[in-house]
Amino acid sequence: MTAVTTERVDGVALIRIDRPRANALSIALLAELEATLAGLAAEPPGAVIVTGTERVFSAGADITEFTGPESASAISRAFEAALSRLADLPRATFAAIRGPALGGGLELALACDFRVVAHSSLLGQPEVLLGIIPGGGATQRLPRLVGVARAKELIYTGRQIEAGEALRIGLVDRVVAADEVLPTALGLAAELARGPVVAHGLAKAAIERGFGGSLADGIRVERECFVDAFSTEDAAAGVRSFLEKGPGKAGFRGR
């Protein structure tokens, strides 16, 4: 039985992870997720949502596979392959989180652009409680999102935080009731999917490629993406609509 399924809703690809119990992210599940994301990259939808079940987003990696350094290397490579696919998608991506998102589960959410979370959710990187460190990208993505000091505190202590604190520190973007998580994420994603999605991808590339480098390098990357945007049908339609009708009236076709 597959643990990763995909459906299309209002131009949005909704990826669901459902693996009893606790949506533990095994090497096999991560390979399945990578294959799913590779298919989406070949024919990108308007936006993408990753979600779990009603009770759990993901409690983390499958600890039964933690048998030593060789397995650690295989697990980390599996996370890198799947989450890099997710992070590199040229569209807006959302994590719709109900229940806990811990360890590798939070790392999966960190690979998305936005996170919509239930009031009742708990988030954290508890790997240190096993005497190890995160291996799915948290040491790199978490500081970029919440700052170095907060990331160190969360990773060093392994503590789990509630949704309200996660919102205050910038770890998540929206906090809603559990039954509103998926509708909220779908509403936000569908709105973006109706927009100039190629421009979204170019803006994402400019931000990701420029972040962490020098300002001069970042400006150069932005210039390249800015020029590329003008080769799209959406740019021509948007400029024409602005000149003829004013701002906010353009219809986009995503190409």
Side-chain angles (χ1 to χ4, degrees):
M1 179 178 175
T2 183
V4 180
T5 59
T6 308
E7 62 178 303
R8 302 274 180 140
V9 183
D10 293 334
V12 177
L14 175 60
I15 301 173
R16 295 180 186 270
I17 298 174
D18 187 356
R19 181 192 180 222
R21 296 183 309 174
N23 277 348
L25 301 174
S26 65
I27 291 175
L29 188 154
L30 290 166
E32 191 177 345
L33 178 60
E34 182 192 1
T36 296
L37 292 165
L40 293 179
E43 189 177 347
V48 175
I49 296 173
V50 180
T51 194
T53 67
E54 293 182 358
R55 297 183 61 186
V56 58
F57 182 72
S58 172
D62 188 342
I63 297 179
T64 65
E65 296 182 338
F66 287 16
T67 58
E70 290 187 3
S71 70
S73 178
I75 292 164
S76 185
R77 289 179 184 277
F79 267 98
E80 181 181 2
L83 301 195
S84 292
R85 286 279 190 187
L86 178 57
D88 290 343
L89 281 174
R91 297 291 186 269
T93 56
F94 294 78
I97 300 171
R98 295 166 292 184
L102 302 171
L106 182 54
E107 288 172 311
L108 173 60
L110 290 172
C112 294
D113 297 319
F114 308 104
R115 284 148 293 279
V116 179
V117 181
H119 286 290
S120 55
S121 291
L122 291 174
L123 303 96
Q125 298 292 161
E127 290 89 349
V128 71
L129 303 180
L130 299 177
I132 60 174
I133 70 169
T139 64
Q140 305 306 305
R141 291 191 174 101
L142 189 59
R144 286 165 167 78
L145 195 62
V146 303
V148 171
R150 283 198 177 101
K152 285 180 177 179
E153 189 268 333
L154 290 171
I155 291 171
Y156 290 4
T157 65
R159 72 182 181 93
Q160 300 174 21
I161 64 174
E162 296 180 346
E165 181 178 354
L167 182 64
R168 288 194 300 274
I169 67 174
L171 178 55
V172 305
D173 303 281
R174 299 285 181 94
V175 177
V176 297
D179 60 358
E180 289 298 316
V181 167
L182 201 50
T184 299
L186 279 167
L188 294 168
E191 181 178 358
L192 290 177
R194 291 189 292 269
V197 294
V198 178
H200 296 161
L202 289 168
K204 182 173 182 173
I207 293 167
E208 297 294 340
R209 288 169 55 195
F211 192 86
S214 70
L215 178 60
D217 287 343
I219 295 297
R220 177 183 53 76
V221 170
E222 180 186 81
R223 181 173 63 252
E224 292 170 357
C225 293
F226 177 69
V227 171
D228 287 345
F230 276 82
S231 66
T232 66
E233 292 182 22
D234 282 347
V239 172
R240 184 171 60 250
S241 176
F242 180 88
L243 294 174
E244 294 175 355
K245 303 174 185 177
K249 305 286 177 51
F252 298 109
R253 303 182 66 182
R255 56 191 189 200

